[in-house]
Amino acid sequence: MQFSEWTARLTRPKSADTIPVNMGKQLTRAIRNYFPSAVRHRGDSYFSRGVVRVEHTDATSIRALVKGQEHYTVLLEWSGPEILAFCECPYFGQYGPCKHLWAVALAYDADGKMPARLDGKDLVKAGSEADDDGRDYFDDSDGRDYSEDDDDPADEAHDDRDEDGVNVSRHADTRRILQFRPPQSPPPTWKQLLASLNDSAHHNGGRSRDALPADSQLRYIVDVTATMTGAGLAVQVLLRKRKKNGDWCIEKPYAFSREQIGLLPDPTDRQIAAMLLGANTQQYTYYGYNDYTRSSTFLLHEVIAEAVLPLLCASGRCRLQLKSGQELPPLQLDGGEAWEFRLDVRKDETAKQCVISGSLWRDGGRQDLDSPMMLTRSGWVFWPDRAARLNHHGAFDWIFLLRQEKQVHVPVRQAEELLEQLLQVPAIPPMDLPAELSYQEV
């Protein structure tokens, strides 16, 4: 098949028998064994750098332009009995599977396409007339190593030898295809071994010994404004460094990764960091489980907030942050009984109204509902210098309503209807009612 004939075929409408079947990441899986690991590694790099521009794609083909030293057209097509491959780069012309092909296959899978009809197909080279049927199949009979020539300065750090190889065999129809062979490469040199240490350090955030600069300190803030949106307890991690004169520099957000947790000098900070990052979910990609949790801000839901907040208070370095930027004292944990939210319903004879308000009770003591700085659905109540547990009996929506409206007024003549409505609300906290509205549960 001529190259021009094949490229024209890519834009033809496909027949009904090529309806995509959900095969997952089948394109890269189907051709993976034809690519030495060094070639795949470089293809991974090309794909992650965003140098692949897809020009056409469907259930049985992809055509793309890949930027290396030059712009190379790359094609993969599998509507027939084989997976046809083509790339304009010199390496492909000599040896076959190249990093540009692998990068394009990654782009196909990353786009969420569902390739059709890949089972049992061999990868073959298209675009030449070296064989009788118009295809030039990959050949390593000259004994040359199947690693890729560099066409990018970033590749110069990689040795051209590879642990995987390719071998040639003959099918009954005399057509040559690629197959695996056992690793036959020599052991890595000492320079390669030391370079792998540098690569590992770079992957782990570039920090080999210390997670914090010398003479510095982690600080924690609970953002009142962000927490009040209802998404969870909003916590931010800050770092401050000491100046030469002994004063502290301005605090700055500090994003850390899982690899740095064990390097934090303070055991409380290590516990807090593990819980904060543990609350974030790892993302699964084609390459496996990747750590995208390097962050300085966290939203904590009920269970994790219950565990983390006492540690934040115990550090002595946690405070509330207001929108105004007002500096508040460190938060202390109030370890007493939980404050209980109650509804207060009283009659105002002068105004001929029933007035509904809310209050907090503990050990016989009462606090107005608007006295705390913040209350959370996760079961915490905050004053400027302390945090305590809150039992809202599942009726946090009442707290939200009464913190906004202060009071709800109902005409006295509708008092009985009010009681009926209150008892129909899905979650109702304990209520203090006038005698004429008292009721008995049966």
Side-chain angles (χ1 to χ4, degrees):
M1 180 186 303
Q2 299 295 326
F3 171 72
S4 57
E5 183 182 350
W6 182 41
T7 55
R9 235 174 70 186
L10 289 178
T11 57
R12 286 186 201 153
K14 298 292 186 287
S15 59
D17 64 350
T18 62
I19 295 174
V21 178
N22 190 354
M23 305 283 291
K25 301 293 185 183
Q26 284 300 305
L27 181 53
T28 44
R29 289 176 184 169
I31 65 176
R32 178 184 177 86
N33 290 356
Y34 298 100
F35 291 78
S37 63
V39 175
R40 294 197 307 269
H41 175 78
R42 297 179 190 178
D44 293 345
S45 175
Y46 266 43
F47 172 68
S48 64
R49 297 201 327 251
V51 298
V52 178
R53 188 181 75 192
V54 176
E55 295 183 331
H56 172 84
T57 181
D58 57 32
T60 57
S61 66
I62 180 171
R63 182 179 69 244
L65 199 64
V66 181
K67 184 178 183 297
Q69 273 193 335
E70 300 179 7
H71 289 81
Y72 300 118
T73 296
V74 178
L75 306 107
L76 284 162
E77 199 258 3
W78 54 93
S79 63
E82 298 154 328
I83 303 172
L84 302 178
F86 175 81
C87 180
E88 290 182 320
C89 74
Y91 179 88
F92 178 83
Q94 271 192 292
Y95 306 116
C98 62
K99 59 189 173 187
H100 311 109
L101 273 172
W102 184 250
V104 169
L106 290 173
Y108 185 91
D109 284 342
D111 194 39
K113 288 289 186 298
M114 296 178 291
R117 307 193 325 185
L118 280 175
D119 289 346
K121 294 185 179 182
D122 298 316
L123 182 70
V124 299
K125 187 175 180 182
S128 171
E129 296 179 304
D131 282 350
D132 293 338
D133 62 351
R135 295 189 181 95
D136 178 19
Y137 296 88
F138 308 135
D139 191 353
D140 69 350
S141 58
D142 60 0
R144 296 190 61 177
D145 178 43
Y146 276 77
S147 58
E148 190 174 12
D149 292 333
D150 293 334
D151 73 348
D152 191 295
D155 290 337
E156 292 178 1
H158 298 278
D159 192 278
D160 278 345
R161 297 184 180 273
D162 184 55
E163 61 189 8
D164 295 330
V166 289
N167 196 9
V168 173
S169 65
R170 286 275 180 173
H171 276 219
D173 60 2
T174 73
R175 293 183 302 173
R176 288 172 288 166
I177 64 171
L178 287 174
Q179 292 182 332
F180 255 162
R181 74 173 179 221
Q184 298 177 357
S185 59
T189 66
W190 67 268
K191 290 183 179 180
Q192 290 173 298
L193 294 174
L194 295 185
S196 69
L197 296 178
N198 292 331
D199 291 342
S200 176
H202 176 74
H203 173 73
N204 293 330
R207 301 174 183 267
S208 58
R209 298 293 299 171
D210 301 316
L212 295 181
D215 205 8
S216 61
Q217 187 182 70
L218 291 184
R219 309 262 286 173
Y220 306 96
I221 62 170
V222 177
D223 190 319
V224 174
T225 303
T227 300
M228 292 303 291
T229 62
L233 191 70
V235 175
Q236 184 174 26
V237 182
L238 303 174
L239 176 70
R240 66 176 182 179
K241 303 177 185 178
R242 197 178 292 278
K243 300 178 182 177
K244 292 182 179 180
N245 64 5
D247 295 337
W248 290 105
C249 295
I250 297 175
E251 300 169 333
K252 295 182 179 179
Y254 180 70
F256 56 91
S257 65
R258 283 183 170 84
E259 289 79 7
Q260 294 172 255
I261 293 175
L263 301 176
L264 294 172
D266 189 295
T268 301
D269 288 332
R270 291 198 294 270
Q271 281 185 282
I272 293 171
M275 290 184 178
L276 291 178
L277 288 177
N280 285 11
T281 303
Q282 287 181 317
Q283 299 180 25
Y284 183 79
T285 69
Y286 173 82
Y287 303 98
Y289 285 97
N290 289 325
D291 183 2
Y292 292 115
T293 54
R294 190 180 180 93
S295 179
S296 65
T297 57
F298 303 88
L299 281 175
L300 309 181
H301 298 288
E302 294 183 23
V303 175
I304 195 71
E306 176 74 19
V308 172
L309 190 56
L311 290 173
L312 294 176
C313 294
S315 74
R317 291 174 275 115
C318 179
R319 69 179 193 277
L320 294 180
Q321 176 176 277
L322 303 179
K323 191 174 182 179
S324 64
Q326 176 186 351
E327 184 77 16
L328 295 175
L331 272 179
Q332 301 295 319
L333 181 66
D334 182 340
E337 294 293 323
W339 286 88
E340 182 181 60
F341 169 56
R342 299 181 67 91
L343 277 183
D344 302 321
V345 182
R346 62 179 179 84
K347 290 181 68 174
D348 183 343
E349 297 292 353
T350 304
K352 299 186 182 302
Q353 289 183 330
C354 291
V355 181
I356 305 173
S357 60
S359 59
L360 301 175
W361 290 81
R362 187 176 76 172
D363 298 332
R366 181 186 183 278
Q367 292 266 3
D368 290 336
L369 192 59
D370 58 0
S371 66
M373 183 166 287
M374 178 173 65
L375 301 96
T376 71
R377 191 180 295 273
S378 58
W380 291 95
V381 53
F382 293 86
W383 284 270
D385 60 347
R386 69 189 191 279
R389 287 175 173 82
L390 168 68
N391 182 4
H392 54 63
H393 299 280
F396 188 79
D397 289 340
W398 270 106
I399 293 178
F400 186 79
L401 172 68
L402 293 173
R403 291 268 289 185
Q404 284 188 318
E405 303 295 331
K406 308 301 182 186
Q407 295 178 338
V408 176
H409 298 269
V410 181
V412 170
R413 66 178 181 274
Q414 295 178 325
E416 291 187 3
E417 184 180 353
L418 166 63
L419 181 59
E420 291 178 5
Q421 293 289 332
L422 288 175
L423 296 178
Q424 291 177 12
V425 173
I428 191 75
M431 295 187 292
D432 296 319
L433 298 169
E436 59 267 32
L437 291 180
S438 61
Y439 66 96
Q440 183 175 3
E441 293 186 6
V442 293

